[in-house]
């Protein structure tokens, strides 16, 4: 699965417990009729993937959905979901050409070409 949008926020790396579990969160705002602010967490060695990204940058994040079950001290079962990123790529904004490529002109910049002359329509060989 993937999430696409612009980076709204990149959090600091957090470390938990004696084992040194690391987590870092990023919020991506989708670009659709009703934009969503999606929080994605990167864990352990994946936290460093966020180092080269900035707020406002368009990105595509490959994600996994994770679900956990937890029984509280009162014996009630609770369920938690998380969105975990494992790859992040910079996305080109619409209208921009990839690095090293010339920009593509808009479709209406081209004029139709008519290579047929009016008198050529009856020159069929049969």
């Amino acid at each position: 699965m993937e999430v696409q949008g612009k980076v709204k926020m990149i959090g600091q790396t957090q470390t938990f417990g004696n084992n040194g579990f690391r987590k870092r969160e990023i919020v991506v705002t989708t670009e659709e009729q009703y934009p969503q602010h999606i929080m994605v967490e990167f864990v352990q060695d994946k936290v460093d993937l966020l180092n080269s990204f900035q707020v406002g940058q368009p990105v595509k994040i490959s994600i996994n959905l994770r679900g956990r079950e937890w029984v509280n001290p009162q014996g009630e079962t609770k369920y938690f979901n998380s969105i975990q990123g494992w790859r992040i790529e910079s996305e080109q904004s619409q209208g921009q050409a990839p690095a090293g490529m010339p920009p593509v002109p808009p479709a209406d910049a081209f004029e139709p070409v008519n290579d047929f002359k009016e008198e050529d329509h009856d020159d069929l060989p049969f």
Side-chain angles (χ1 to χ4, degrees):
M1 299 175 92
E2 294 177 341
V3 173
Q4 289 181 277
K6 288 191 178 180
V7 175
K8 180 177 179 130
M9 184 277 302
I10 301 175
Q12 297 296 318
T13 300
Q14 299 171 305
T15 304
F16 301 94
N18 296 332
N19 295 333
F21 178 81
R22 298 185 323 146
K23 178 173 102 168
R24 191 170 183 190
E25 298 171 342
I26 183 172
V27 176
V28 175
T29 302
T30 62
E31 295 176 348
E32 51 196 344
Q33 183 178 0
Y34 301 104
Q36 302 296 308
H37 305 287
I38 308 294
M39 196 270 299
V40 179
E41 60 183 23
F42 284 76
V43 297
Q44 297 298 73
D45 60 331
K46 303 294 184 194
V47 299
D48 297 327
L49 296 176
L50 300 179
N51 291 343
S52 60
F53 292 91
Q54 301 172 17
V55 171
Q57 185 174 2
V59 294
K60 176 170 65 173
I61 302 175
S62 298
I63 62 166
N64 290 324
L65 295 176
R66 300 284 184 204
R68 290 179 300 285
E69 181 179 89
W70 175 67
V71 179
N72 69 16
Q74 291 77 31
E76 299 169 326
T77 302
K78 304 280 184 175
Y79 296 93
F80 298 92
N81 298 321
S82 62
I83 302 171
Q84 202 168 85
W86 54 274
R87 179 173 57 200
I88 181 168
E89 303 172 68
S90 180
E91 281 283 295
Q92 294 293 328
S93 294
Q94 286 186 341
Q96 284 186 335
M101 297 289 291
V104 177
D108 61 355
F110 297 101
E111 293 183 26
V113 176
N114 187 358
D115 288 337
F116 299 104
K117 297 179 184 149
E118 190 64 37
E119 64 271 3
D120 288 345
H121 74 282
D122 279 340
D123 289 345
L124 299 174
F126 50 89

